[in-house]
Amino acid sequence: MIYLSSNARQLLKARYLRQTDGIETPDDLFKRVARHIVTVENENNDLWFDRFYKVMRNLEFLPNSPTLMNAGLPNGQLSACFVLPVEDNLNTIFTTLKNAALIHHNGGGTGYNFSKIRPKDDFISSSEGSSAGPVSFMKIYNTATEYVKQAGKRRGANMGILNINHSDIEEFISSKSDLQSLQNFNISVGITNDFMHALEEDKDWSLVNPRTNKISKTLSAKKLWDSIIEQALKTGDPGLIFLDTINQNNPLKKLGKIQSTNPCGEVPLFNYESCNLGSINLKKMILQNSTHIEIDWKKLERTIIIAIRFLDNVISCNYFVLPNIEEITLSNRKIGLGVMGWAELLILLDIPYASNKAVELAETVMKFIHEKSYNASQSLAKKRGCFPSWKQSSFAPHMILRNATCNSIAPTGSISIIANTSYAIEPLYALAFKRTGILENNTQMEINTTFIDKMKSLGLWSEQLRSEIIEKGSIQHVKNIPKHIKNLFKTSLEISWKYHLLHQSAFQRYTDNAVSKTINLPNTTTFKEVSEIYKTAWNYNLKGITIYRNGSRDNQVLQLCGFN
Ligand code: ADP
């Protein structure tokens, strides 16, 4: 019998369970996925089927949504993350638009860097006209996304990047200012180390027309930075992606520079490259007796070995929407194993999120996951061979690997609901909240079940507490609750941004791809603080940064990655 929360059941029914040939049960779904993934195995198929099925059924590991939705279907596209090229001509702009529509329709999300497009009002020789510029083309992509639903279920998602030296960067920075435009895009400014140094030294910064390579404008780096901060404070966009940090850590430098990530930022990819993700539910990785709870490292290791094999199999039994995607994805075999339920694990271990102990444990846990993931990928390489571009990678000649990357921390916006656990590495957003937008026309009141269990075990649970939590979503104001319990249950907005960033940084240190995290901030957060957050993110060698100030957008969904 699978334990699933009522939210999980509703979500599965609305989006994941097959409705043809009789209605699938959640158990059928996990079997369908395991049956498909195990087709890659040459021996011990029953054993591997059982392992793949059980980690999903026990909600210990879940692959990204497209795998759950599409595995076993004809032409089942199983990956969540794609990057597509955008060149300075109508041909690639509209070819990529068509390809993005195909990917969205099949459940994936797409990222692009628009920096090669000539600026608005620039000269076009063939028509003697003037060009529309990157932001206009993004609007076309946005509109197309609006109308291509994923098998009628959810809208696609995009990441749009423009580099900090592009002539149109100022227009780009404020392109979501009205809170109406580009709603199907996360936008990020592509930041270079040169720019950050110019900012530190309060120097001028030049904007360049990519067609002519000529400077179109010079302004102070600080002025440009301030306009980013102002918009981020106002709307949450733009975020930043740190291109030099990404490329310094690119294991395939010989194949060129990476210019973009997928929509939520956790996977830097080459043009046409795709990546499939999966997440371990840390809340389930515990040893528990009546008095004591600790991390079950053996179980975690076993789960990692199964998960890495699962994700590597996904590449082999995937359906690729385009030959270009197939070629580079099969050549690099990137996968992204991450985590969900981090905040709930900390609660079970009695460690407040906003504490140095939690940050230290974050590093220990991710270091372990990283090491064991690489060991697992190495064992696969021995049996199945290295990823084909391995010789060109920084791992050659000494370290064999099956996958060019192994780890990403995805937002787990949907799969954490299925697993009834906290999102990725995020603190609890609230102890009780209405989750709107997950399913259209549906508003759910939820109280976190880990919170209820803990309060019951402490003899602190009462109907009165339930009403107070439903009203406020927090226990910080409740009398008669000991201080250390209040600390344990501090929610996202009650936790200083410093700890949000320290957690992101601890996980990033041992994540070869990137970490998707939203730094959730109280409404009262100042311009100066946002500026400090963005600068600290660069100093911490993060690959990207996203903030969200509470209440800064209308119709706030439980804010995570901007998609619902
Ligand atoms: P899930 O929980 O559904 O597996 P995540 O929230 O972890 O997905 O997001 C992982 C990645 O999946 C995102 O970075 C993005 O590439 C893709 N993705 C998420 N939501 C969407 C969406 N609505 N449409 C298309 N792709 C999406």
Side-chain angles (χ1 to χ4, degrees), residues 277-293:
L277 311 172
S279 301
I280 291 178
N281 181 1
L282 290 176
K283 184 173 142 183
K284 298 271 181 175
M285 299 296 128
I286 52 166
L287 272 174
Q288 182 167 18
N289 63 29
S290 55
T291 54
H292 183 70
I293 298 182

Side-chain angles (χ1 to χ4, degrees), residues 11 15-16 62-69 79-82 103-111 145 150 154-158 186 261-267 275 277-279 340 409-418 423-424 516 560-564:
L11 183 62
R15 292 194 182 153
Y16 294 76
L62 289 175
N64 54 209
S65 288
T67 304
L68 292 172
M69 290 169 176
S79 304
C81 311
F82 296 79
I103 291 169
H104 291 175
H105 183 64
N106 286 289
T110 41
T145 305
Q150 301 176 338
R154 62 177 190 178
R155 249 182 277 139
N158 302 286
N186 279 342
T261 68
N262 70 315
C264 301
E266 68 275 17
V267 202
C275 182
L277 311 172
S279 301
M340 54 186 159
I409 311 281
T412 69
S414 300
I415 60 170
S416 66
I417 297 172
I418 299 172
Y423 294 113
S516 169
L560 186 74
C561 60
F563 306 115
N564 54 51

